[in-house]
């Protein structure tokens, strides 16, 4: 099966498809009969030393291991239907590969699984942009196959261990200094932290937690060559060590350009940032109130993004970016998840905070959680004014098209 998938991916750089007049949509609502069942698990997905690392500079290969990479999962059972939130220690995974990863799961519909990359800049290149030289791929298909196997095993374990749960949710705010900062505009940060935790109804043991935080995991410096989950690994490990059980990290509105505000920028800084982030999430848990869940509801919609920026066009033509095209556009996806009063939207790239705020305002949901880099990585997603601002020239060059952010916003909100 993997060989056939690899052949199909190789052909993706040659053939195009017609674009449907109406993008595909998906909607499911599964009522909770009695109690929501929750389970969690993780698996190691650390690659062999020597692979190309994604992010920063091309031709950067790993030389040693700093911290293991993980795939972490939280599964939710409502009636006979199962849903999953998957956190993967990687810079980003493309839509076609995510669909293949999901196809390896048993008992889950594609639309009911949210695969969220952490965006670490010290993990293997699953996109293909960071090979030996410009426009040579650093993507290792055999590694992708190992991720598929590990994800399926983690989801199966989480489902087997799921138990009737009670959920709580709590909020905290990232401090003005000491964690994340906006390298472009100091005032532009999404400082919400909204933690959701599940506990077994019978004995109160922790069944799993969702930890959202908007920040680039790039405490490790630009010229780093060590494999690392960056602060995400420390955060999730510390959460377990402090007695809270399995954690699943999801990134948020980290685009343009939310970066760690910590020194030193090395392994010590990674530990410092991760421990501080864990303390912040504990503060959110300390404020938690019950989260009754009557149903799990998911909505999905395809969105088509013309691949017009030079880097994306060249990458696709040379098959470094192995995207299927539909009349010149990449097919991506947006999503919406509801667990009782908890709601999240899923976006396929790195949303800048002002665009996230506009989407919340148009949806009339000020506390909406954002799952960034979910089910795809199409680069930065900007408002129209930022996309036209010379200050954001780099971010614009690392987007599929200049109006990718606005196309995603319209797909989610339905408003022009």
């Amino acid at each position: 099966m993997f060989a056939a998938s690899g052949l199909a991916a190789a052909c993706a750089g040659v053939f195009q498809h017609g674009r449907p007049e109406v993008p595909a949509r998906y909607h499911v609502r599964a009522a909770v009969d009695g109690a929501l069942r929750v389970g969690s698990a993780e698996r190691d997905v650390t690659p062999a030393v020597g692979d190309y690392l994604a992010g920063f500079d091309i031709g950067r290969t790993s030389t040693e291991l700093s911290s293991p990479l993980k795939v972490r999962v939280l599964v939710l059972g409502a009636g006979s239907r199962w849903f999953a939130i998957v956190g993967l220690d990687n810079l980003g995974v493309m839509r076609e590969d995510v669909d293949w990863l999901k196809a390896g799961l048993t008992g889950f519909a594609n639309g009911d699984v949210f695969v969220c990359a952490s965006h670490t800049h010290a993990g293997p290149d699953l996109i293909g942009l960071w090979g030996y030289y410009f426009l040579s791929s650093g993507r290792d298909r055999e590694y992708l196959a190992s991720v598929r196997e590990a994800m399926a095993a983690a989801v199966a374990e989480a489902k087997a261990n799921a138990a009737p749960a009670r959920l709580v949710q709590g909020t905290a705010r990232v401090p003005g200094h000491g964690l994340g900062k906006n390298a472009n505009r100091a005032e532009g940060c999404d400082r919400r932290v909204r933690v959701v935790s599940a506990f077994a109804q019978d004995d109160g043991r922790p069944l799993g937690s969702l930890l959202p935080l908007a920040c680039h995991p790039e405490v490790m410096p630009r010229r780093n060559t060590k494999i690392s989950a960056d602060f995400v690994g420390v955060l999730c490990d510390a959460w377990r060590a402090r007695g809270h059980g399995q954690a699943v990290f999801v990134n948020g509105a980290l685009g343009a350009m939310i970066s760690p505000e910590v020194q030193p920028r090395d392994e010590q800084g990674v530990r410092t940032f991760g421990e501080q982030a864990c303390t912040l999430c504990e503060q959110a848990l300390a404020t938690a109130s019950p989260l009754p869940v009557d149903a799990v509801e998911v909505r999905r919609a395809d969105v088509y993004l013309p691949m017009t920026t030079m880097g994306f066009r060249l990458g696709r033509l040379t098959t470094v970016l192995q995207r299927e095209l539909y009349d010149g556009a990449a097919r991506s996806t947006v999503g919406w998840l509801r667990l009782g009063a908890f709601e999240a939207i899923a976006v396929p790239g790195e949303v800048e905070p002002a665009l996230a705020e506009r989407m919340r305002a148009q949806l009339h949901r000020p506390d909406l959680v954002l799952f960034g880099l979910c089910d795809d990585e199409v680069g930065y997603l900007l408002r129209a004014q930022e996309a036209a601002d010379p200050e954001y020239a780099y971010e614009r060059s690392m987007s599929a098209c200049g109006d990718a952010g606005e196309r995603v916003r319209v797909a989610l909100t339905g408003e022009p």
Side-chain angles (χ1 to χ4, degrees):
M1 177 181 288
F2 183 72
S5 172
L7 178 60
C11 294
V14 179
F15 301 108
Q16 291 208 33
H17 310 278
R19 193 187 313 181
E21 292 185 10
V22 179
R25 292 186 173 273
Y26 174 84
H27 178 210
V28 63
R29 182 183 184 277
V32 172
D33 183 15
L36 186 73
R37 288 160 290 158
V38 177
S40 61
E42 69 179 30
R43 285 291 188 280
D44 190 285
V45 290
T46 306
V49 170
D51 283 354
Y52 289 103
L53 297 176
F56 295 137
D57 302 319
I58 62 173
R60 189 170 55 108
T61 55
S62 62
T63 58
E64 59 182 292
L65 176 65
S66 175
S67 64
L69 307 186
K70 301 287 184 67
V71 57
R72 306 173 184 89
V73 302
L74 188 72
V75 301
L76 312 163
S80 61
R81 201 169 190 104
W82 288 91
F83 304 83
I85 302 170
V86 179
L88 176 63
D89 286 334
N90 192 266
L91 185 95
V93 189
M94 295 183 296
R95 166 73 185 266
E96 290 86 353
D97 287 339
V98 170
D99 285 344
W100 188 68
L101 293 174
K102 291 182 183 183
L105 306 181
T106 301
F108 290 80
N110 181 302
D112 297 344
V113 181
F114 296 81
V115 178
C116 304
S118 70
H119 204 54
T120 177
H121 285 49
D125 179 9
L126 285 181
I127 296 174
L129 290 176
W130 292 276
Y132 179 64
Y133 57 87
F134 181 57
L135 296 180
S136 69
S137 178
R139 182 168 171 266
D140 184 344
R141 293 188 180 93
E142 294 301 326
Y143 174 72
L144 182 66
S146 71
V147 171
R148 187 180 198 244
E149 182 179 350
M151 183 182 297
V155 168
E157 179 185 337
K159 185 177 177 182
N161 294 336
R166 61 176 182 86
L167 271 63
V168 300
Q169 63 175 335
T171 60
R173 288 188 64 80
V174 176
H177 297 283
L179 279 178
K181 65 177 181 180
N182 190 318
N184 286 326
R185 296 179 179 173
E187 72 281 3
C189 279
D190 186 350
R191 300 196 176 279
R192 296 172 180 81
V193 175
R194 192 173 179 189
V195 170
V196 174
S197 291
F199 301 91
Q201 285 190 345
D202 55 1
D203 60 7
R205 69 187 184 280
L207 297 175
S209 294
L210 185 65
L211 308 183
L213 181 67
C215 189
H216 275 72
E218 53 180 25
V219 178
M220 295 294 275
R222 186 179 191 93
R223 301 197 181 280
N224 164 65
T225 58
K226 297 179 181 180
I227 298 168
S228 174
D230 211 275
F231 72 77
V232 175
V234 176
L235 165 61
C236 294
D237 289 347
W239 189 257
R240 183 192 299 276
R242 298 184 192 186
H244 306 305
Q246 178 72 57
V248 175
F249 171 85
V250 292
N251 223 318
L254 76 162
M257 171 74 72
I258 312 302
S259 297
E261 188 178 24
V262 65
Q263 294 294 334
R265 300 297 284 267
D266 58 13
E267 289 165 296
Q268 178 56 51
V270 166
R271 289 189 290 271
T272 298
F273 191 105
E275 292 285 351
Q276 290 177 346
C278 186
T279 297
L280 182 67
C281 290
E282 283 188 318
Q283 292 172 4
L285 185 60
T287 73
S289 57
L291 175 62
V293 179
D294 61 326
V296 179
E297 190 169 3
V298 170
R299 295 178 186 268
R300 293 279 194 171
D302 280 350
V303 57
Y304 290 87
L305 305 175
M307 294 184 70
T308 57
T309 54
M310 186 58 67
F312 276 70
R313 290 174 65 187
L314 288 175
R316 196 265 172 180
L317 288 172
T318 59
T319 70
V320 168
L321 286 178
Q322 296 190 353
R323 300 290 309 223
E324 298 278 352
L325 286 195
Y326 299 77
D327 294 334
R331 179 174 64 101
S332 194
T333 181
V334 296
W336 174 75
L337 170 68
R338 181 179 76 84
L339 305 173
F342 174 86
E343 293 179 287
I345 52 174
V347 297
E350 302 164 56
V351 176
E352 56 100 13
L355 178 61
E357 282 305 297
R358 187 178 181 198
M359 290 191 287
R360 289 185 178 105
Q362 288 186 325
L363 292 168
H364 307 290
R365 289 170 168 83
D367 296 324
L368 199 66
V369 172
L370 191 142
F371 291 178
L373 300 125
C374 186
D375 294 328
D376 202 357
E377 166 60 304
V378 297
Y380 289 100
L381 301 172
L382 310 171
R383 291 187 307 175
Q385 49 265 59
E386 276 75 37
D389 189 334
E391 184 178 13
Y392 291 85
Y394 167 75
E395 287 82 2
R396 187 168 57 251
S397 72
M398 296 298 290
S399 300
C401 55
D403 62 347
E406 296 292 358
R407 287 174 181 265
V408 166
R409 176 188 58 78
V410 171
L412 277 165
T413 67
E415 296 190 24

